[in-house]
mmCIF file of all heavy atoms in Angstrom:
data_model
loop_
_atom_site.group_PDB
_atom_site.id
_atom_site.type_symbol
_atom_site.label_atom_id
_atom_site.label_comp_id
_atom_site.label_asym_id
_atom_site.label_seq_id
_atom_site.Cartn_x
_atom_site.Cartn_y
_atom_site.Cartn_z
ATOM 1 N N PHE W 203 -92.989 -26.093 -177.013
ATOM 2 C CA PHE W 203 -92.976 -26.556 -175.624
ATOM 3 C C PHE W 203 -92.272 -27.903 -175.533
ATOM 4 O O PHE W 203 -92.104 -28.626 -176.528
ATOM 5 C CB PHE W 203 -94.398 -26.652 -175.053
ATOM 6 C CG PHE W 203 -95.255 -27.721 -175.653
ATOM 7 C CD1 PHE W 203 -95.302 -29.000 -175.102
ATOM 8 C CD2 PHE W 203 -96.035 -27.455 -176.772
ATOM 9 C CE1 PHE W 203 -96.101 -29.985 -175.653
ATOM 10 C CE2 PHE W 203 -96.836 -28.430 -177.328
ATOM 11 C CZ PHE W 203 -96.872 -29.697 -176.768
ATOM 12 N N ALA W 204 -91.849 -28.212 -174.307
ATOM 13 C CA ALA W 204 -91.246 -29.499 -173.981
ATOM 14 C C ALA W 204 -91.783 -29.912 -172.617
ATOM 15 O O ALA W 204 -92.296 -29.083 -171.851
ATOM 16 C CB ALA W 204 -89.727 -29.415 -173.972
ATOM 17 N N VAL W 205 -91.676 -31.199 -172.314
ATOM 18 C CA VAL W 205 -92.228 -31.748 -171.073
ATOM 19 C C VAL W 205 -91.091 -32.110 -170.127
ATOM 20 O O VAL W 205 -90.096 -32.717 -170.543
ATOM 21 C CB VAL W 205 -93.094 -32.988 -171.362
ATOM 22 C CG1 VAL W 205 -93.754 -33.487 -170.082
ATOM 23 C CG2 VAL W 205 -94.137 -32.674 -172.425
ATOM 24 N N CYS W 206 -91.239 -31.730 -168.850
ATOM 25 C CA CYS W 206 -90.228 -32.035 -167.823
ATOM 26 C C CYS W 206 -90.855 -32.904 -166.732
ATOM 27 O O CYS W 206 -91.927 -32.586 -166.204
ATOM 28 C CB CYS W 206 -89.682 -30.740 -167.221
ATOM 29 S SG CYS W 206 -88.440 -31.006 -165.933
ATOM 30 N N TYR W 207 -90.158 -33.982 -166.410
ATOM 31 C CA TYR W 207 -90.611 -34.925 -165.380
ATOM 32 C C TYR W 207 -89.589 -34.904 -164.245
ATOM 33 O O TYR W 207 -88.422 -35.236 -164.450
ATOM 34 C CB TYR W 207 -90.756 -36.313 -165.992
ATOM 35 C CG TYR W 207 -91.064 -37.428 -165.036
ATOM 36 C CD1 TYR W 207 -91.897 -37.252 -163.939
ATOM 37 C CD2 TYR W 207 -90.508 -38.702 -165.239
ATOM 38 C CE1 TYR W 207 -92.183 -38.289 -163.082
ATOM 39 C CE2 TYR W 207 -90.792 -39.751 -164.391
ATOM 40 C CZ TYR W 207 -91.622 -39.538 -163.304
ATOM 41 O OH TYR W 207 -91.901 -40.581 -162.433
ATOM 42 N N LYS W 208 -90.039 -34.498 -163.049
ATOM 43 C CA LYS W 208 -89.164 -34.440 -161.874
ATOM 44 C C LYS W 208 -89.529 -35.548 -160.917
ATOM 45 O O LYS W 208 -90.666 -35.627 -160.441
ATOM 46 C CB LYS W 208 -89.293 -33.082 -161.190
ATOM 47 C CG LYS W 208 -88.850 -31.891 -162.043
ATOM 48 C CD LYS W 208 -88.999 -30.576 -161.289
ATOM 49 C CE LYS W 208 -88.551 -29.395 -162.133
ATOM 50 N NZ LYS W 208 -88.681 -28.091 -161.402
ATOM 51 N N VAL W 209 -88.565 -36.387 -160.612
ATOM 52 C CA VAL W 209 -88.797 -37.504 -159.700
ATOM 53 C C VAL W 209 -87.472 -37.909 -159.055
ATOM 54 O O VAL W 209 -86.441 -37.941 -159.737
ATOM 55 C CB VAL W 209 -89.433 -38.709 -160.431
ATOM 56 C CG1 VAL W 209 -88.537 -39.235 -161.535
ATOM 57 C CG2 VAL W 209 -89.825 -39.796 -159.460
ATOM 58 N N SER W 210 -87.494 -38.157 -157.773
ATOM 59 C CA SER W 210 -86.323 -38.617 -157.009
ATOM 60 C C SER W 210 -85.121 -37.687 -157.192
ATOM 61 O O SER W 210 -83.974 -38.136 -157.324
ATOM 62 C CB SER W 210 -85.944 -40.051 -157.411
ATOM 63 O OG SER W 210 -87.028 -40.938 -157.197
ATOM 64 N N GLY W 211 -85.388 -36.370 -157.274
ATOM 65 C CA GLY W 211 -84.318 -35.386 -157.408
ATOM 66 C C GLY W 211 -83.748 -35.258 -158.806
ATOM 67 O O GLY W 211 -82.743 -34.558 -158.988
ATOM 68 N N ASN W 212 -84.331 -35.891 -159.777
ATOM 69 C CA ASN W 212 -83.823 -35.837 -161.158
ATOM 70 C C ASN W 212 -84.878 -35.231 -162.084
ATOM 71 O O ASN W 212 -86.081 -35.236 -161.793
ATOM 72 C CB ASN W 212 -83.440 -37.236 -161.644
ATOM 73 C CG ASN W 212 -82.317 -37.845 -160.824
ATOM 74 O OD1 ASN W 212 -81.321 -37.184 -160.503
ATOM 75 N ND2 ASN W 212 -82.471 -39.119 -160.458
ATOM 76 N N GLU W 213 -84.368 -34.735 -163.196
ATOM 77 C CA GLU W 213 -85.249 -34.195 -164.233
ATOM 78 C C GLU W 213 -85.083 -34.998 -165.527
ATOM 79 O O GLU W 213 -83.958 -35.272 -165.944
ATOM 80 C CB GLU W 213 -84.929 -32.715 -164.514
ATOM 81 C CG GLU W 213 -85.297 -31.773 -163.394
ATOM 82 C CD GLU W 213 -85.061 -30.309 -163.782
ATOM 83 O OE1 GLU W 213 -84.596 -30.066 -164.928
ATOM 84 O OE2 GLU W 213 -85.345 -29.425 -162.962
ATOM 85 N N TYR W 214 -86.234 -35.314 -166.130
ATOM 86 C CA TYR W 214 -86.239 -36.041 -167.396
ATOM 87 C C TYR W 214 -87.099 -35.229 -168.375
ATOM 88 O O TYR W 214 -88.193 -34.781 -168.033
ATOM 89 C CB TYR W 214 -86.799 -37.453 -167.211
ATOM 90 C CG TYR W 214 -86.031 -38.273 -166.187
ATOM 91 C CD1 TYR W 214 -86.429 -38.283 -164.842
ATOM 92 C CD2 TYR W 214 -84.919 -39.026 -166.573
ATOM 93 C CE1 TYR W 214 -85.733 -39.032 -163.913
ATOM 94 C CE2 TYR W 214 -84.209 -39.777 -165.624
ATOM 95 C CZ TYR W 214 -84.617 -39.760 -164.309
ATOM 96 O OH TYR W 214 -83.904 -40.494 -163.366
#
Side-chain angles (χ1 to χ4, degrees):
F203 68 91
V205 185
C206 179
Y207 173 37
K208 297 180 180 180
V209 61
S210 302
N212 297 316
E213 290 185 359
Y214 302 92

